[in-house]
Amino acid sequence: MEHWFWAILSVLVLVWYCVVTIVVAFRGGNDIKKMLAKWKQEMEE
Amino acid sequence: MTNFNFLIDGGIVLLYLIGTITAGLWVRRYVRNVNDFLVAGRSVDLYLGIASLAATEFGIATCMANAELGFKYGFAGFTPGIALAFAMFVVGYTGFCVKPLRDRQVITLPELFEDKFGTKVRWASGVVIVLGGLLNMGVFLRQAGNFLTVVCGFDMGYLEIVMTLILLGVAAYTILGGMISVFITDYIQFVVMSIGLIAVVFLVVYQFGWMDMLSSLDRIRGPVAYNPFENDTYGLDRILLDVLLAFASILTWQTIISRVLSAKDTKTAKHIFIGTSPFMLVRFAIPAILGIAALHYFGPDKFTDSEAILAMPTMFAQLLPVGLIGIVVAAMLAADMSTNSSYMIAWSSVIYNDIMKPIHKGLWSDAKGLRWNRILIALIGIFLLLYGLWYPLKGDLWVYLQVTGTIYLSSMSVLLIAACYWKPSNNWGAIAAIAIGCIIPISYLILQEVPVTQEWILAIGPYKFGAITYFAAALAMIIGSLIKPSTKETN
């Protein structure tokens, strides 16, 4: 019983981490682009 | 013996280092004032916030400490991660303390305390935060040096040189670009670190077989490896400390709170916490699985209790093929650099914003403020190097991190909750809580080094000491606040 609990938890952790890495890699890059564009505009003003 | 190839793996590591340091240096042009330097102009959005928080809270020291937990306690080593994930989700979902904190637009916690408890409490809080934070961070560099020395197969005589080079690389972009560079490099480091960690876990599980790893764990550690309550091996007192520490660190640890304060609004800050909460479990689970794999690979006798921390890096050195070992070293360097840069800027922000407040009174020009922040980061770097070389770590690394963290987490969490939600709290209670929160853990660190008291201290153990500190600090706040004569209002 305890073996299954830890096995399921470990699988969930790994799956979540894989998905979040991909999502954050793409959307975090977009966040950076937007943030730098905003600062650039502020500096030009 | 290591599979690290200086041409191929060294090339991968060098490529990563050049990329991340160049990015960190490139964005320094956007730093215009102290606000940009310390909280990135409060412009950080959700996904960048998650990447940065996750990368900051996962360093080589954390990875080695948590792998050690897996090696010694099996799956019971997940316990602090479960507590942290739960605490971060609850705080993010409810906005408990973080909402009033973000709404106030402060840079540090002590700044919030000034309104409620006065300037002296702000200053004392700053001192306690920096003391606890720097002692906590003091062992990071040596652990990173140990990891790289073992995995890359350097002679141990080169440990100090490796430590210095890591520090110089991080200090270069942190000093010039502040929090803006930290966020950009954290993003790169999150991606590199995650690819390396995921790859190595899949390889290890594929190579050893999940069921074979569990069989070894059953044979060597028995049922205690699956149940932290069993036979008191992990222990109720340790679980209690894990839970207290989880809530306190989520609420008050400056590197975590600085992400809330850098978020573009309160809603984003709460979502960053909710989105990052599962990573708090990942942070323990992945190293613990690697620790269990190392136990399966080496057996229980190859490493003594104090050497168990080296089991995971030694396994990496012997098991990982050329190419992958370079990616893993780059990943671990990424984890460590993001942690070091965030920690350096977190403590320097408290020193400048709170401890030095009586000197600059908020009147210095941006140029002078930036110059001083950069000097402070450089001084913190020098301290880290000296402390890392001098302090001989005894016992579990995670225990050391818990005890030193408790120096400020116990009192600061009490002050924060009281400042936000308990109207009768005042400066007497705050000072009493700070004093108690400091005295108990520092006494533990000193008395465990004194031969006469060593046995007595070890019999009580660090967990009871840690847990008692939280309750004692809360009690001190209540008693101190209630005994202050009501005629003299200081709020």
Side-chain angles (χ1 to χ4, degrees):
Chain A
M1 169 62 193
E2 285 163 338
H3 289 53
W4 284 109
F5 170 76
W6 294 113
I8 291 168
L9 189 63
S10 301
V11 170
L12 285 178
V13 160
L14 277 169
V15 170
W16 180 89
Y17 193 28
C18 291
V19 172
V20 162
T21 299
I22 295 165
V23 172
V24 168
F26 284 102
R27 302 196 72 166
N30 275 342
D31 286 356
I32 291 176
K33 267 191 226 165
K34 277 193 281 180
M35 195 170 72
L36 294 183
K38 184 187 152 211
W39 286 335
K40 200 174 172 187
Q41 195 184 0
E42 283 174 7
M43 287 171 94
E44 282 166 1
E45 286 166 3
Chain B
M1 191 185 77
T2 175
N3 295 330
F4 190 86
N5 179 298
F6 276 87
L7 194 64
I8 299 169
D9 297 309
I12 293 170
V13 174
L14 193 65
L15 199 67
Y16 156 73
L17 284 173
I18 291 171
T20 194
I21 292 174
T22 306
L25 293 174
W26 180 72
V27 293
R28 75 185 190 281
R29 69 184 71 180
Y30 296 105
V31 178
R32 296 159 296 179
N33 51 45
V34 174
N35 207 41
D36 288 344
F37 192 84
L38 295 182
V39 284
R42 298 191 202 274
S43 330
V44 174
D45 219 329
L46 178 61
Y47 294 97
L48 180 57
I50 291 174
S52 179
L53 187 50
T56 297
E57 292 310 310
F58 193 96
I60 290 181
T62 320
C63 186
M64 288 176 75
N66 300 346
E68 187 183 14
L69 290 181
F71 188 87
K72 287 180 176 173
Y73 307 108
F75 289 105
F78 280 30
T79 312
I82 296 171
L84 276 162
F86 176 71
M88 188 171 260
F89 180 83
V90 169
V91 171
Y93 186 76
T94 59
F96 180 65
C97 289
V98 294
K99 187 181 180 306
L101 189 62
R102 178 62 186 84
D103 286 345
R104 286 289 313 283
Q105 300 236 347
V106 293
I107 290 178
T108 57
L109 278 181
E111 198 179 336
L112 178 85
F113 297 155
E114 184 173 8
D115 287 349
K116 178 77 179 168
F117 304 120
T119 51
K120 285 178 186 158
V121 171
R122 176 180 181 171
W123 191 86
S125 303
V127 171
V128 169
I129 285 176
V130 171
L131 177 70
L134 287 181
L135 283 177
N136 189 271
M137 193 191 173
V139 293
F140 287 7
L141 212 53
R142 176 169 283 273
Q143 296 311 322
N146 278 333
F147 178 89
L148 294 172
T149 305
V150 170
V151 176
C152 301
F154 296 132
D155 187 278
M156 284 311 268
Y158 289 109
L159 178 66
E160 287 79 12
I161 297 171
V162 174
M163 287 163 60
T164 311
L165 288 175
I166 297 168
L167 189 67
L168 285 175
V170 175
Y173 66 77
T174 312
I175 287 172
L176 292 171
M179 201 55 148
I180 291 178
S181 290
V182 168
F183 270 110
I184 304 300
T185 51
D186 274 1
Y187 166 75
I188 300 169
Q189 287 153 354
F190 173 80
V191 175
V192 174
M193 171 185 98
S194 301
I195 291 169
L197 283 173
I198 290 166
V200 78
V201 168
F202 277 109
L203 180 106
V204 161
V205 173
Y206 174 77
Q207 189 130 346
F208 294 150
W210 180 257
M211 295 314 289
D212 289 345
M213 281 166 55
L214 295 197
S215 298
S216 298
L217 192 61
D218 276 338
R219 183 170 40 81
I220 298 167
R221 302 285 185 229
V224 293
Y226 299 91
N227 185 353
F229 299 98
E230 181 97 20
N231 288 353
D232 222 25
T233 303
Y234 193 85
L236 265 177
D237 50 352
R238 189 166 185 167
I239 294 169
L240 177 64
L241 179 61
D242 282 346
V243 173
L244 291 169
L245 193 108
F247 274 97
S249 59
I250 296 303
L251 290 174
T252 62
W253 196 243
Q254 183 64 29
T255 53
I256 295 178
I257 284 302
S258 62
R259 267 65 193 170
V260 172
L261 302 171
S262 303
K264 65 178 185 180
D265 50 40
T266 305
K267 193 179 163 196
T268 306
K270 287 173 67 181
H271 284 167
I272 288 174
F273 265 33
I274 294 170
T276 315
S277 58
F279 185 79
M280 292 293 126
L281 178 56
V282 169
R283 174 176 178 240
F284 280 81
I286 286 188
I289 291 170
L290 293 171
I292 292 167
L295 183 69
H296 168 77
Y297 186 60
F298 294 115
D301 303 323
K302 166 128 176 135
F303 298 95
T304 62
D305 209 40
S306 60
E307 291 170 346
I309 198 159
L310 297 175
M312 181 193 67
T314 310
M315 178 182 73
F316 284 174
Q318 295 180 13
L319 190 73
L320 301 183
V322 174
L324 184 56
I325 201 168
I327 294 173
V328 169
V329 170
M332 291 313 235
L333 264 176
D336 204 60
M337 290 169 78
S338 55
T339 304
N340 283 337
S341 58
S342 292
Y343 273 57
M344 284 162 84
I345 203 161
W347 312 133
S348 80
S349 69
V350 176
I351 296 174
Y352 179 80
N353 199 49
D354 304 307
I355 299 178
M356 286 177 64
K357 177 81 190 297
I359 302 169
H360 61 69
K361 297 184 174 71
L363 300 173
W364 285 0
S365 66
D366 276 332
K368 193 172 179 184
L370 281 173
R371 192 163 57 245
W372 268 97
N373 273 287
R374 286 174 170 141
I375 291 169
L376 289 170
I377 292 173
L379 291 174
I380 289 172
I382 293 167
F383 165 81
L384 290 179
L385 196 60
L386 296 176
Y387 189 83
L389 292 174
W390 167 78
Y391 186 79
L393 183 66
K394 288 181 181 171
D396 282 8
L397 174 57
W398 182 245
V399 172
Y400 173 85
L401 296 176
Q402 283 184 321
V403 172
T404 50
T406 298
I407 290 173
Y408 102 62
L409 290 174
S410 55
S411 56
M412 291 304 107
S413 53
V414 168
L415 261 70
L416 179 63
I417 295 168
C420 293
Y421 302 108
W422 194 46
K423 214 175 170 187
S425 61
N426 56 43
N427 58 338
W428 281 31
I431 292 291
I434 290 172
I436 293 291
C438 240
I439 290 167
I440 299 177
I442 289 180
S443 305
Y444 176 82
L445 285 177
I446 295 171
L447 293 177
Q448 72 165 356
E449 300 291 333
V450 179
V452 185
T453 52
Q454 210 165 41
E455 203 176 323
W456 174 68
I457 285 293
L458 289 175
I460 298 174
Y463 317 119
K464 288 191 182 73
F465 255 96
I468 286 167
T469 311
Y470 287 87
F471 292 113
L475 199 61
M477 167 61 86
I478 294 168
I479 294 171
S481 297
L482 294 180
I483 61 170
K484 183 176 179 180
S486 58
T487 48
K488 194 178 176 185
E489 188 65 61
T490 57
N491 295 347

